[in-house]
Structures are given as structure tokens and as C-alpha cells.
């Protein structure tokens, strides 16, 4: 898909480990695919929280020789990698977001989108509150600080009941971490334990594997898990089982790493099943199956297995071209796409090629890739997509372009085929997609294909919903062109 729909965010936290900060650094590295715009770590010695965040990847923000990890060294830590789905790429919006209130300090790391944040912010501002960011996450700190909330027996549980939308959260207090997940369990969050016995919370299990921590379980929808010196304890802020989950199935299709297990199922295996299903429904007479790497690779393997058409790597992806903060002109942009994804001419020349991708968003990047295949001598191109046509925006933490910009909006299959300049097109059906999933069909969110939003969105929300408040302050700040 080539980042036309942006990743959301990645969370990592660890309690009671002398090397907690260094392990958070490595944990964030393994979650880097979930966001490359900013990174940050907050740590506590049990009394005082320190925090450092910056724009860029984990290795850029905590570059070697900077001494930052040493300065932060404490036994309790949380970290965050961000792609902005609410608020622009500006240092003020970096996370963890550290603040002080009447009960002490708290640092917040959030994955998801709070759809009622603009409304709540308006209310708080009307009563004199001052916000320092343009992201939805900050409202959580204001809710926590409100005296009538702070005096409740369980202020966090009380506050979470005020939030609507998608949120997997890590909150670092002076002497403990709280890990929480919204009642629908839209974004993933799991708990593990290191070999030395320290408890870990992370967006995906790949971050646990990175430090040989053992997966214990997922944080349940509507649950808060506390990590402190006594170990793990939990409580629910909504009645368990009272809400049917709405896990984001797009996590399985595109966002999550292949070696992760989320929503009870390994991502690579799930994508292979999608490929097999796609081959059953949309077989093509072809000589070779090639993936659009990396997120299309597992599905292409499944497609090749099922169709008995040989699998090969017709595209090679360069991992050394990251996002640039300088907007190049159109020609340079095209060159950059070519450098990111090069064609192996020998694999496709004179062949009938099946290309498998996880999804198509705007379609312009996909068309560019199809053109490079033609230029390399592909005789026929049969495009196969492992999810249904994307037709609706996401309000729960994925930054899709507007409905009008989506390729499948108001286009039929023939028009899509023509636009992409391919010989045939085959999309996964919604039924096909859901038949591959481990959980019952109604346990997933599918709103970007169906337009049926499980959490009603009263007020249109996009990543710049709260931007008007402070945007003038950052007129000169370079935005990533991604
Ligand atoms: S709308 Fe799509 S991307 Fe957004 S949460 Fe639902 S399934 Fe995921």
C-alpha cells in the first residue's frame, strides 16, 4: 500500500527492570512500523518522572552518543512512536505527554483517536482550561486533573468512561503503570513478562519477542491492568462482555507486523489465509505471483500456494529510504517511489504477472508501480487485493485520505481496472475477509468498507480537527510528505 493510509501509533511500557529505559528503546524499535514521525520515552525512579521526545524515528531521537538513555535511566518506563492521526507533526504533540496536576505527575501514551475530544475540549476551554497541544490525547490529562474526577475512588476508571473512540493507553504515574483499552478493543495492547520477571505492556507481541519476554495475554476491552511493585492487578471500567468488540481488522491486513499475534491470531498466518481465499475467488491464468512488499508478501504466499502459480519477488523494497521532511517536486517524488520499490526485470519480463497488495487507497501510487512493471516488460498484469475496496474514512485512529480521494469511491471495477492500467482486478469480498478471521464476524470493525461505524461519529473528525487552535504558531514547521 505504500503508506497512503498511515500507521497509527506504538506503545511500550515496562515496570521494575533496571534496564527499563534501554528495553523501552528496543521495544519501540520493534514497533517502529506503527509510526515514524516522533518517538519518546518517559521514565520514573518511583518518585519523579522524566521525559524526552523528539521528531523522527527512535534511532534519530535517541541517537547514539547523545547520552539521553543514560539520563533517563530508571526502573519504570513507557515509550511511544507516533504517526499523527490527531494533530500535526509538531514537537508539542509528541508523546508521552507529561504533565503535573494536583495528584502529582502523569505521562500518557495513546494509540487511537478520541472522537469526542473536540467536544470535550470546547467544554473545558469554555471553563478556562488552557491546552498546550493540538492532539486529542491531552484531554485525558484534563479529565484526570478535574477535581470532581480526581476525588473519585478510581479516577482513571471514571475518566475512561468519559472517552469515546479508540484508545489503547499507557499511563505512567510516579510508582506504577496503568495499561487500558477502550471497551471495543479497537487497537491492540498486550501484556508480557521478561525472563527476569519484569512486566511489560506493548501494542504488539513483536515487541515482547524482541526482548524474549513471554506473552501473557491481551488487555481485555474495557479493562485496566496495573503494573506495580506487587506485580499485575486488573479491574474493568465497563461490565466485561457488555460490549461486543470491534477490533480493527485493518491491523491484521496492513498495520501489524507479520510476527505479531493480535486479536488472538498471528498476523502472517491471517494474511496467508487472505491470499488463499483471494485465489479461490479470483484465480488468474498467470506465470508468476509477486507481492507488493512488505505488507502484501504474506497474502501473495497464500495466493501462490492456493493457485499453484510460482511465487517470486518481482519488487524489491529499499528500507533505507525513509520519509523526508522536505517536499520534493512531482518528478523527485516519482523517483523516490521508484527507489523505494525497484522491479526485478528478469522476474517479470515477458510474463503474465499476478500482483498481490494488501489494499489500495488513492490508487495513484499503485498505478505508478503497475507502470514500472509494464516498462520492465510484464506481458499481462492481474491485480489482486487482499481486502475489499476502501470506500469510507476511519475515525478510530487511521489516517485515510478523504472519502472523495479513495479510489473505490464512486468507481466500479471496470473503472478501477482502467485507472490502474491493469488487465484484470480482483478484490477480496467482505465475506471472504471475515471468513479468514478467528473471531466471529461481528467482533471486528469493518467501517472503512461498509460505512457502518460501531461508535457513532456525531461530528466529523480528522487529524486536524483541533488544529485551528494553535496552527499559527507552527506555520514554519516542515511537515512530512510521507
Ligand atoms: S474503519 Fe477500518 S481502519 Fe478504521 S478501525 Fe475500522 S477497520 Fe480499522
Amino acid at each position: 500500500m505504500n503508506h497512503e493510509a498511515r500507521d497509527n501509533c506504538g506503545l511500550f511500557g515496562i515496570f521494575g527492570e533496571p534496564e527499563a529505559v534501554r528495553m523501552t528503546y528496543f521495544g519501540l524499535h520493534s514497533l517502529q512500523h506503527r509510526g515514524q514521525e516522533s518517538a519518546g520515552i518517559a521514565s520514573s525512579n518511583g518518585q519523579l518522572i522524566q521525559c524526552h521526545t523528539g521528531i523522527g524515528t527512535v534511532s534519530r531521537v535517541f541517537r547514539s552518543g547523545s547520552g539521553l538513555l543514560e539520563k533517563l535511566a530508571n526502573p519504570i518506563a513507557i515509550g511511544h512512536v507516533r504517526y499523527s492521526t490527531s494533530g500535526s507533526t509538531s514537537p508539542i504533540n509528541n508523546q508521552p505527554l507529561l504533565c503535573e496536576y494536583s495528584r502529582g505527575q502523569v505521562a500518557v501514551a495513546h494509540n487511537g483517536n478520541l472522537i469526542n475530544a473536540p467536544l470535550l475540549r470546547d467544554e473545558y476551554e469554555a471553563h478556562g482550561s488552557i491546552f498546550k497541544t493540538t492532539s486529542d490525547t491531552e484531554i485525558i490529562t484534563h479529565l484526570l486533573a478535574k477535581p470532581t474526577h480526581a476525588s473519585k475512588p478510581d479516577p482513571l476508571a471514571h475518566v475512561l468512561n468519559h472517552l469515546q473512540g479508540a484508545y489503547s493507553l499507557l499511563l505512567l504515574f510516579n510508582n506504577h503503570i496503568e495499561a487500558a483499552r477502550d471497551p471495543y478493543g479497537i487497537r491492540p495492547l498486550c501484556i508480557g513478562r521478561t525472563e527476569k520477571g519484569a512486566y511489560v505492556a506493548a501494542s504488539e507481541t513483536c515487541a515482547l519477542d524482541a526482548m524474549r519476554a513471554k506473552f501473557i495475554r491481551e488487555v481485555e476491552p474495557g479493562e485496566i491492568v496495573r503494573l506495580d511493585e506487587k506485580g499485575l492487578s486488573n479491574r474493568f471500567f465497563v461490565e466485561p462482555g457488555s460490549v461486543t468488540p470491534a477490533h480493527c481488522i485493518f491491523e491484521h491486513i496492513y498495520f501489524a507486523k507479520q510476527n505479531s499475534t493480535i486479536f488472538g491470531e498471528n498476523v502472517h498466518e491471517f494474511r496467508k489465509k487472505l491470499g488463499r481465499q483471494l485465489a479461490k475467488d479470483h484465480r488468474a491464468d498467470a506465470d508468476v505471483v509477486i507481492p507488493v512488499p512488505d505488507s502484501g508478501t504474506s497474502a501473495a504466499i497464500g495466493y501462490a500456494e492456493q493457485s499453484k502459480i510460482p511465487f517470486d519477488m518481482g519488487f524489491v523494497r529499499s528500507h533505507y529510504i525513509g520519509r523526508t521532511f522536505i517536499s520534493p517536486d512531482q518528478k523527485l517524488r516519482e523517483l523516490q517511489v521508484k527507489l523505494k520499490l525497484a522491479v526485478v526485470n528478469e522476474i517479470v519480463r515477458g510474463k503474465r504477472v499476478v500482483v498481490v497488495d494488501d489494499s489500495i487507497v488513492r490508487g495513484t501510487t499503485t498505478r505508478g508501480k503497475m507502470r514500472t512493471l509494464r516498462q520492465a516488460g510484464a506481458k499481462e498484469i492481474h491485480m489482486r487485493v487482499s481486502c475489499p475496496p476502501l470506500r469510507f474514512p476511519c475515525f478510530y485512529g487511521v489516517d485515510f485520505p478523504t472519502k472523495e480521494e479513495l479510489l473505490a469511491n464512486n468507481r466500479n471495477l471496470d473503472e478501477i481496472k482502467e485507472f490502474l492500467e491493469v488487465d484484470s482486478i480482483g478484490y477480496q469480498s467482505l465475506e471472504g475477509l471475515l471468513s479468514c478471521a478467528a473471531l466471529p464476524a461481528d467482533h471486528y470493525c469493518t467501517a472503512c468498507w461498509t460505512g457502518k461505524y460501531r461508535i457513532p461519529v456525531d461530528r466529523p473528525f480528522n487529524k486536524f480537527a483541533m488544529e485551528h487552535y494553535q496552527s499559527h504558531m507552527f506555520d514554519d514547521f516542515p511537515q512530512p510528505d510521507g
Side-chain angles (χ1 to χ4, degrees), residues 86-338:
S86 168
S88 61
T89 308
S90 148
I92 54 162
N93 288 332
N94 293 350
Q95 295 189 27
L97 180 63
L98 176 62
C99 70
E100 283 182 41
Y101 69 119
S102 59
R103 295 200 149 202
Q105 293 176 292
V106 61
V108 185
H110 171 210
N111 173 204
N113 261 13
L114 304 174
I115 54 176
N116 63 338
L119 200 71
L120 288 170
R121 181 165 170 154
D122 283 352
E123 275 172 36
Y124 274 70
E125 287 190 323
H127 288 93
S129 293
I130 295 170
F131 286 73
K132 61 178 185 177
T133 78
T134 59
S135 107
D136 57 342
T137 308
E138 192 180 4
I139 193 66
I140 298 168
T141 60
H142 282 263
L143 287 162
L144 273 173
K146 191 175 176 178
T148 51
H149 295 169
S151 59
K152 295 279 177 204
D154 187 343
L156 179 59
H158 182 76
V159 162
L160 296 181
N161 272 309
H162 284 73
L163 304 180
Q164 284 168 16
Y167 53 91
S168 282
L169 290 170
L170 292 182
L171 297 102
L172 172 65
F173 295 89
N174 297 48
N175 60 3
H176 68 281
I177 294 171
E178 304 264 27
R181 206 163 161 218
D182 69 69
Y184 294 86
I186 297 176
R187 303 276 150 231
L189 189 62
C190 66
I191 301 288
R193 195 174 191 189
T194 66
E195 286 172 334
K196 287 192 197 162
Y199 285 103
V200 179
S203 290
E204 292 180 34
T205 59
C206 64
L208 306 183
D209 296 342
M211 56 206 58
R212 282 194 264 148
K214 219 172 147 195
F215 170 76
I216 298 177
R217 66 178 180 90
E218 296 189 8
V219 176
E220 294 296 321
E223 185 187 24
I224 303 169
V225 176
R226 181 181 166 118
L227 286 64
D228 61 20
E229 74 289 342
K230 291 187 202 133
L232 284 187
S233 56
N234 77 320
R235 61 203 192 271
F236 284 88
F237 59 96
V238 294
E239 189 65 33
S242 62
V243 178
T244 307
H247 305 309
C248 170
I249 203 164
F250 214 67
E251 289 273 355
H252 259 310
I253 295 163
Y254 170 67
F255 293 126
K257 219 186 230 179
Q258 287 92 329
N259 60 326
S260 287
T261 293
I262 56 164
F263 314 142
E265 193 173 14
N266 170 255
V267 172
H268 172 66
E269 288 298 336
F270 182 90
R271 290 182 189 167
K272 275 208 305 189
K273 271 196 264 175
L274 289 180
R276 282 188 219 119
Q277 185 62 39
L278 196 54
K280 280 182 204 162
D281 293 344
H282 297 285
R283 202 187 182 284
D285 285 327
D287 305 306
V288 65
V289 176
I290 67 167
V292 176
D294 293 325
S295 49
T297 306
S298 307
I301 292 171
Y303 191 100
E305 273 175 17
Q306 180 70 35
S307 64
K308 309 271 187 282
I309 302 169
F311 170 92
D312 218 325
M313 295 301 287
F315 285 115
V316 177
R317 189 184 154 124
S318 168
H319 292 270
Y320 303 103
I321 304 212
R323 286 188 183 155
T324 166
F325 282 76
I326 305 155
S327 276
D329 61 24
Q330 188 54 30
K331 251 194 164 163
L332 283 176
R333 207 188 292 273
E334 277 171 21
L335 193 66
Q336 195 183 20
V337 169
K338 274 192 176 171

Side-chain angles (χ1 to χ4, degrees), residues 404-451:
E404 290 66 37
E405 288 173 288
L406 294 169
L407 175 69
N409 177 52
N410 289 329
R411 275 196 186 89
N412 63 31
L413 283 179
D414 278 340
E415 289 164 335
I416 292 173
K417 185 179 90 139
E418 226 164 86
F419 181 91
L420 296 176
E421 301 170 8
V422 293
D423 296 282
S424 76
I425 176 94
Y427 278 96
Q428 188 87 259
S429 66
L430 188 62
E431 298 69 38
L433 165 64
L434 293 168
S435 74
C436 297
L439 300 173
D442 65 350
H443 282 42
Y444 296 96
C445 174
T446 56
C448 44
W449 301 289
T450 61

